[in-house]
Every structure is written in structure tokens, then in C-alpha cells.
Amino acid sequence: MPTIEDVARHAGLSRTTVSRVINNQPYVCEEKRQRVLSSMGDLGYVPNSSARRLRNKKTETIAVLLPRITNPFFSHMMEAMEKKASEWGYQVIVCQTHYSADKEIDYLELLRKKQVDGLIMTSVHNDWTKIEEYLASGPIVLCNENMEEANTAIIHIDQKQAAYDATMHLVEQGCKKLAFLCGNTESSITRARRSGFMKALHNRGVAFVEHDSFQEAMDVDNGREILSIIQEEDPEIDGIFTGSDEVAAGIIYEAIQRGISIPEDLAVVGFDNQTISMLMNPSISTVEQPIVDMANKSVEVLIQHIEQHLRQKREEYVFDHTLQQRNSTMRNIAVPM
Amino acid sequence: MPTIEDVARHAGLSRTTVSRVINNQPYVCEEKRQRVLSSMGDLGYVPNSSARRLRNKKTETIAVLLPRITNPFFSHMMEAMEKKASEWGYQVIVCQTHYSADKEIDYLELLRKKQVDGLIMTSVHNDWTKIEEYLASGPIVLCNENMEEANTAIIHIDQKQAAYDATMHLVEQGCKKLAFLCGNTESSITRARRSGFMKALHNRGVAFVEHDSFQEAMDVDNGREILSIIQEEDPEIDGIFTGSDEVAAGIIYEAIQRGISIPEDLAVVGFDNQTISMLMNPSISTVEQPIVDMANKSVEVLIQHIEQHLRQKREEYVFDHTLQQRNSTMRNIAVPM
DNA sequence: TTGTAAGCGTTATCAC
DNA sequence: GTGATAACGCTTACAA
């Protein structure tokens, strides 16, 4: 592979001049500019990324941490983030934590090694005090989680209000005994949603059920298992708040197998308005989040922080959610499927 | 940020010795090794990735090209690839081509810039002769596509046989007039599947329909539109081969809206055995590919090529597929849902 | 407008 | 065992 030195020699000029041409800098006359350009062409020269990164102290790369890319919520986040980053000339490294605090730390280390200029976390599995240490090495943006103590940019919806809205909807449809499901037990999201759920119940005096296995509800299989448990242990439950459309889909699938009718016997509300929520039969009522807008904002804020060396300052962006009412909850009013 | 120089000074030793400790090299006595280790701890030293990349001429990073990460087929590929790469200590850059040949070239350039050590393509939008030029800069593995001319490692299933199997299944269920849908028109996959589809028809003398809009069928919305077109233009079609479960789901969704009964009026077969194919009601018959195995193999082969400097040699790995028969096609025999 | 030379933070070579 | 020193390929003062 030819280096800048080779190009300079071939063009009969100095490395400096070649460098100026590469970087579109002024102070190089048109004739020499052309000579450099044609030498670059002749030799098939391409600037070496590693050398530039070392010299310029920037990588033009960001890392995006998420649990698993197969979860549609996160793949939609990633799609938008990669697209936006690419527009700004940044590369994106995928970092799947698989819900592990240790893996999360491994990926945060990318910041200290200077392998990335900045990092977006869409899920959090360590305490903020632990994560905060990494802010010294580069900017971190939280997208989705809202940690109260976090002194950095955070992008999210009002999870408490969203859960409240969804739960109130179940209550209004006449549910008398509700179950609350969530993913990662200790996340800020779960705490906020639980609090919104409880608030809605409190207002109406409806009963609810806690169960250990309702604490790790992430995917279709979890949803199926949970419906089985509910049938065995507490068949009186007639309404379920789930934290994801996949879990809701699993519940509905299993309910159909067992001849339980949705929404009459059991109303179910999902989260995220994924394609599956529209496709299921019955379709799934769900809370819609503006995923693409949130993703775009996260990347913009991160790149701004990178380029302006901002850090250690809380900066909050709250996006709006909307409740999509569909057939998995609508008991009173007939809704065209 | 402290450098190796700072650590050396703090420990009262040379950079060389510190470097030896960092890289677990021999010829450093235990006492000094400890002194270095504790200096590193005191200063919070972390080796700078850019400097290492320049010096060692390797990035320990690979790029994975795919159309869109939200497509479940590709997100499952990516999940497995990132996991496997991570086990080997490699980072993964996501490169979404959005079906564009130009974007594909932009990402191939990562190889020439030495920003990645190697690259996996899961879809191809340029001619092989164009892509081949990049082999000079680093290894490329094709996972999913099978280009006949490609002199590199390729991992795939027998798409022709898979399409043949799926089509024969439709024929055996009594379909008299079939439609063939596919994604990217000019891909090797489409060519192979079309040829398998035709072979099955040829054997049985069944009719089939071509239509321009059947050529860009990638997602749920495309599926819905296509069913509308079929209803208007050729309602006699009673069996559809789709290249993806999402398209099949869209077709089924729209068919239900219109009161068309599946599989009696219309049998539909999907591809990939995604979650959606099990969840839909009726469930979708589909061709299963061993995505995770293919992804793992691709990463292993790529890393082997990187570390052993192999290149320019055709090397083919063909994986087995299986047809999952479900309710979207099973007319004769009742299958428990 | 152009070129010389220093240095980004590592690691490999070679001498001690 | 240990330590100077010279790269790796690039950019940027500073000089000319």
C-alpha cells in the first residue's frame, strides 16, 4: 500500500503539500494540486485511517450499547442511529451487552482505549457512579433510560406517564385484576413504569398481582411462559401490562392455543408499536415511542458533544408517546381490525 | 490521559519494559513487572488503541454489510456475528447499504483505508469484478449470497433447492397458479430461487404469473400491496412463493382483511422461519435456514483469513435448510395450530 | 506558496 | 533482563 511519502515522491513534491491536497486545505497552487491528484490516482493511494486517528486524536467512530440487536426496539434504534451517524461521517460499533453488567463495562472501555469518540447507551446495567468514571474519557449519551443522577445528555419518553396511560386504558375497559410485567428488574425504566402502573391502580382501587417470573419478561417465549403461569396460579387476572410487544404477542399466542378469548377474558397491552402489534390477530394495543426521532437526537447530541468537547452536564430531552388502541384491549367499542 | 512514557517514568523504567508487561511478554523480572503494574494502576493507564493500530497494522475490527438491520433475517445474522467476533476480541462495525450499490462501495472503502481488517457481505449490489478489487486490501467473506465467480470464502444454503422444495410443497397442496416474489431483482439469491421455482413448475405443468411489482418484495407493506395487486389483476393466483416471512405476513394480513381464506383460497410460503411465521394466525409455512451457524462460520473463516493472510481462493460452505410446514399452506391434512 | 522537521503513542530491533 | 532508538503514516508549526 502506498503512503503519503510515495505520493509525494511520485509527484515530486513534499508530504506537506500532498497532505494539504488530501485535506482540501488552501495554499497549494492549482497546478501542483492536479499533480498530486493524478499521482494519488496512479498509485491508488488511500490515506491510512490508523495514522490519521493517532495524529488527529479522533476516530470518527461511536459505540452503541444495547442488550440484543434482534430485539426490534433496539434494531430500530440502531437502524436510525447508524444512518444518522453515517450522514455525519461516523462509523458505528455494535455492542451487545446481553444484559450483563460486565459486558457493559467491557464496551465502556472502548472509550478509555480511545477506540471510539463517544458512546450511546440504550440500556444500563451498572450504577451511574460506575459509568460516570468513563465520562472523563469521552461523552456518553443515554437514550431510552432515564437515570436521575446522570450528569450527561439523556433522551427518553415519560415512561411513568406512558405506563399510567396504558394501565388506565385497561382499567377503563373494565379489568378488575391486573398483572405488571417488565424486563430488567432494576432498570430506571422498570421503576418508572411500575410507578405509573401503581398510580393508575391507586386511583381506581383495582387489584394487582406480583410474581417473580413477571420480572424478566423480554421476548415471545417469556410471554408464553407467563401466560401458562397465570393460568395455573392466578386465572382471575383479566388484564396485563407488558413492557414489550413481543411479550404481549407471546401471551396472545398462548392464550389462543388455550381458547382464552382476547380481549374479553384477558386484555393485553404491549409497548413500542412494533410491526408485530399490528400483524397479530387480535392486533395489540400498545404505547408508541418516536424511536427514530429519539435515535436521531441521540446521535446529534453525541456528535455535538464530541466536536465541542462538552461533558458532565445534565441535558434532558423528553419525547411524546401515544397510546394505540387496538383489539387486544377494546372490549366496549368495536374497532375494525 | 497518561501514556506509556508516563508509566515508564513513574515506575522508573523504560517504555520497552512497560510495553513488555502490557503485552505479557517474557524477559521481565517479577519485581519490575509488579512495579509497572502498580504504576499503571496509579495513573489509570490504558493503552491507546490508535497507536497500537498504527504500529501493529491491525485494527481487530471487522465490518458487516447488510441492507437494513431492522430486517429480522439480518438482525439475527448480526447478533450471532457480533457475539462470535467479540469472543475473538474483534469489534464489529454495522454497515447498512439500504440496497444501494454506492453505499456498498463506501463501506468497502473501509478496507482500503485500513479501518477494518476484514469484511463480511450478507447482500451484494455491485458486480463481483468491482468487489474483487477490494480483496487486495483485506479478506472478504460472502455470507448468504452465492456469486459463482467469487474467488473468496462463501457461506450459503442451496437457495435453488430451497425454492424448489417450497414450490413443490405448494404444488402438492393443489395450487394451480403460482406467483413468485423476490427482493433485490439482480441478486444471486433471486436468480437461484427463481430457477428452483421454475424447475418445480416445469415438473408439474402448473401456471405462474410474473409482475414487475413482485420484484421488490422485502417487507410487510410490500406484501400487503402485492396482495392488493393480485386481487385486482389476477385473482386466480392460489399460491405464492415469497422470499421472506415479512412479505408472507403482509400478504396474510391483507388477505384476512379482505376475507380471503388462507390456505384454502390462497396458500403462502415464507422464508427464514422468523418468529413472526409462528405467531401469525394462520401460522406461516417457511424455509428455515441455520442463520446462527452460518453467521458463526462466516466470522470464523474471516478471522482465520485475517490472521493467516489468506485470500483470493474460492472456499464454499453450504448449509442445510428445512421446510417448516404450517397452516398457511396445509390444505389436506389438519395441523394443530 | 512550499518544504523541513517534530511528534501523536506504540512496539520491534538491537545493543548492552 | 533491560533500555535506547527507529519506525508505523500522518498533520502541523515554523521556516523559507
Side-chain angles (χ1 to χ4, degrees):
Chain A
M1 297 288 97
T3 71
I4 198 172
E5 174 76 51
D6 300 323
V7 177
R9 199 166 21 231
H10 185 274
L13 294 164
S14 74
R15 291 197 310 246
T16 311
T17 305
V18 177
S19 175
R20 289 204 180 96
V21 174
I22 294 170
N23 298 291
N24 291 309
Q25 283 169 13
Y27 303 124
V28 53
C29 75
E30 194 46 33
E31 184 251 324
K32 307 213 165 149
R33 163 163 263 113
Q34 288 308 328
R35 251 203 292 160
V36 169
L37 254 18
S38 83
S39 288
M40 287 180 14
D42 290 355
L43 300 176
Y45 168 78
V46 178
N48 179 296
S49 146
S50 303
R52 290 189 124 168
R53 288 161 79 120
L54 176 58
R55 176 63 226 223
N56 296 335
K57 295 184 176 303
K58 51 208 283 296
T59 63
E60 312 213 292
T61 304
I62 64 174
V64 174
L65 272 63
L66 43 78
R68 300 180 57 178
I69 192 71
T70 44
N71 179 319
F73 175 75
F74 295 107
S75 70
H76 279 84
M77 282 253 116
M78 182 56 102
E79 169 167 280
M81 288 177 177
E82 194 273 341
K83 189 149 177 262
K84 177 61 73 179
S86 173
E87 287 169 15
W88 285 82
Y90 280 73
Q91 312 299 333
V92 177
I93 294 182
V94 216
C95 305
Q96 297 185 112
T97 63
H98 292 281
Y99 307 97
S100 146
D102 289 343
K103 265 253 155 200
E104 185 168 284
I105 293 293
D106 290 346
Y107 286 120
L108 280 163
E109 285 291 331
L110 291 176
L111 218 41
R112 299 221 300 157
K113 294 185 220 166
K114 298 280 157 219
Q115 202 162 347
V116 297
D117 294 333
L119 181 149
I120 298 177
M121 303 182 76
T122 65
S123 67
V124 179
H125 304 279
N126 283 275
D127 294 336
W128 174 252
T129 50
K130 186 75 189 158
I131 294 166
E132 191 172 16
E133 298 170 16
Y134 292 91
L135 271 184
S137 308
I140 298 175
V141 167
L142 261 43
C143 177
N144 189 35
E145 298 254 8
N146 169 18
M147 309 190 87
E148 296 299 338
E149 335 84 275
N151 51 330
T152 187
I154 54 177
I155 282 90
H156 61 101
I157 63 165
D158 184 340
Q159 299 280 357
K160 179 175 175 181
Q161 184 65 40
Y164 176 85
D165 294 346
T167 310
M168 278 307 285
H169 173 63
L170 288 172
V171 171
E172 281 161 8
Q173 294 298 313
C175 294
K176 301 292 180 218
K177 193 168 191 180
L178 296 183
F180 175 82
L181 314 192
C182 62
N184 186 2
T185 325
E186 281 317 307
S187 81
S188 63
I189 295 176
T190 296
R191 282 196 298 278
R193 288 184 184 170
R194 187 192 303 275
S195 131
F197 175 81
M198 297 304 279
K199 182 178 161 205
L201 295 203
H202 199 69
N203 284 358
R204 301 297 192 104
V206 173
F208 78 100
V209 179
E210 295 252 34
H211 191 295
D212 285 347
S213 64
F214 297 175
Q215 306 286 322
E216 294 291 336
M218 333 280 219
D219 61 23
V220 170
D221 288 335
N222 297 147
R224 295 182 59 179
E225 290 155 18
I226 287 167
L227 188 97
S228 310
I229 292 168
I230 286 177
Q231 279 302 295
E232 272 178 41
E233 304 190 1
D234 212 329
E236 289 188 352
I237 289 173
D238 61 351
I240 308 182
F241 172 90
T242 71
S244 100
D245 288 337
E246 283 70 42
V247 174
I251 288 173
I252 290 172
Y253 176 86
E254 195 65 29
I256 291 172
Q257 305 295 305
R258 292 163 177 261
I260 296 164
S261 72
I262 310 273
E264 291 73 19
D265 299 340
L266 183 65
V268 182
V269 58
F271 217 102
D272 297 340
N273 194 23
Q274 296 296 344
T275 310
I276 185 75
S277 66
M278 180 205 78
L279 287 175
M280 286 296 286
N281 186 2
S283 58
I284 304 176
S285 296
T286 187
V287 176
E288 176 170 14
Q289 306 190 49
I291 297 187
V292 173
D293 295 339
M294 292 167 67
N296 286 340
K297 187 70 184 178
S298 303
V299 172
E300 278 161 16
V301 169
L302 183 67
I303 290 178
Q304 194 189 356
H305 283 212
I306 289 170
E307 302 193 341
Q308 297 171 16
H309 303 282
L310 304 175
R311 227 166 300 168
Q312 312 261 23
K313 182 170 138 289
R314 188 166 176 97
E315 191 182 330
E316 212 166 337
Y317 302 92
V318 184
F319 283 72
D320 293 331
H321 63 271
T322 46
L323 181 66
Q324 298 288 334
Q325 304 185 355
R326 297 208 182 96
N327 294 327
S328 68
T329 57
M330 298 302 281
R331 288 168 167 176
N332 305 333
I333 310 122
V335 169
M337 198 202 86
Chain B
M1 296 288 96
T3 71
I4 198 170
E5 175 76 52
D6 299 322
V7 176
R9 200 165 22 230
H10 185 274
L13 294 165
S14 72
R15 291 198 309 247
T16 311
T17 305
V18 177
S19 176
R20 288 203 181 98
V21 174
I22 295 170
N23 298 290
N24 291 310
Q25 283 169 15
Y27 304 123
V28 67
C29 76
E30 195 46 32
E31 184 253 323
K32 308 215 163 150
R33 162 162 264 115
Q34 288 308 328
R35 253 204 289 161
V36 168
L37 254 19
S38 83
S39 289
M40 288 182 12
D42 290 355
L43 300 176
Y45 168 77
V46 178
N48 179 295
S49 147
S50 303
R52 288 189 128 169
R53 287 161 81 118
L54 176 58
R55 178 64 229 217
N56 295 335
K57 294 184 175 306
K58 51 208 285 295
T59 64
E60 312 213 294
T61 304
I62 63 174
V64 174
L65 272 63
L66 42 78
R68 301 181 56 179
I69 192 70
T70 44
N71 179 318
F73 175 74
F74 295 108
S75 71
H76 279 84
M77 281 254 114
M78 182 55 101
E79 169 168 280
M81 286 178 178
E82 194 274 342
K83 188 149 178 263
K84 177 60 74 179
S86 172
E87 287 169 15
W88 285 82
Y90 280 72
Q91 312 299 332
V92 176
I93 294 182
V94 217
C95 305
Q96 298 185 112
T97 63
H98 292 281
Y99 307 99
S100 144
D102 289 344
K103 266 252 153 201
E104 186 168 284
I105 294 293
D106 290 346
Y107 286 120
L108 280 163
E109 285 291 329
L110 292 175
L111 218 42
R112 297 220 302 157
K113 295 185 223 165
K114 298 278 157 221
Q115 203 163 345
V116 298
D117 294 333
L119 181 149
I120 299 176
M121 303 182 77
T122 65
S123 67
V124 179
H125 304 279
N126 283 275
D127 294 336
W128 174 252
T129 49
K130 185 77 190 157
I131 294 166
E132 191 173 16
E133 298 170 15
Y134 292 90
L135 272 183
S137 308
I140 298 174
V141 167
L142 261 43
C143 177
N144 189 34
E145 297 254 8
N146 169 18
M147 308 191 87
E148 296 299 338
E149 336 84 275
N151 51 329
T152 187
I154 54 177
I155 282 89
H156 61 101
I157 63 165
D158 185 338
Q159 299 280 358
K160 178 174 175 180
Q161 184 65 41
Y164 177 86
D165 294 347
T167 309
M168 279 307 284
H169 173 62
L170 288 173
V171 171
E172 281 161 8
Q173 294 299 313
C175 294
K176 300 291 178 218
K177 192 166 191 181
L178 296 183
F180 175 81
L181 313 193
C182 64
N184 185 2
T185 324
E186 280 317 306
S187 82
S188 65
I189 295 175
T190 296
R191 282 196 298 278
R193 288 184 186 169
R194 186 193 303 275
S195 129
F197 175 83
M198 298 302 279
K199 182 179 161 204
L201 295 203
H202 198 71
N203 285 357
R204 298 300 190 102
V206 175
F208 77 102
V209 179
E210 295 253 36
H211 191 295
D212 285 347
S213 64
F214 297 175
Q215 306 286 322
E216 294 291 334
M218 333 278 220
D219 61 23
V220 171
D221 288 334
N222 298 147
R224 295 181 59 179
E225 291 154 18
I226 287 167
L227 188 95
S228 309
I229 292 169
I230 286 178
Q231 279 302 294
E232 271 178 41
E233 305 191 1
D234 212 329
E236 288 190 350
I237 289 174
D238 61 351
I240 308 184
F241 171 90
T242 72
S244 100
D245 288 338
E246 284 71 40
V247 173
I251 287 173
I252 290 172
Y253 176 86
E254 195 64 30
I256 292 172
Q257 305 295 305
R258 293 163 176 261
I260 297 164
S261 73
I262 310 271
E264 292 72 19
D265 299 340
L266 183 65
V268 182
V269 56
F271 217 103
D272 297 340
N273 195 23
Q274 298 295 341
T275 311
I276 185 73
S277 66
M278 180 205 79
L279 288 175
M280 284 297 285
N281 186 3
S283 59
I284 304 176
S285 296
T286 186
V287 176
E288 176 170 15
Q289 304 191 50
I291 296 187
V292 173
D293 295 338
M294 290 166 68
N296 286 340
K297 187 68 184 181
S298 302
V299 172
E300 278 162 15
V301 169
L302 183 67
I303 291 179
Q304 194 189 356
H305 283 211
I306 289 170
E307 302 193 341
Q308 296 171 19
H309 304 280
L310 304 175
R311 226 166 302 168
Q312 313 260 25
K313 183 172 139 287
R314 188 167 175 95
E315 193 181 329
E316 210 166 340
Y317 301 93
V318 183
F319 283 73
D320 292 331
H321 63 272
T322 45
L323 181 67
Q324 298 288 333
Q325 304 186 355
R326 297 209 182 95
N327 293 328
S328 68
T329 56
M330 297 303 280
R331 288 169 166 175
N332 305 334
I333 312 123
V335 169
M337 201 201 84

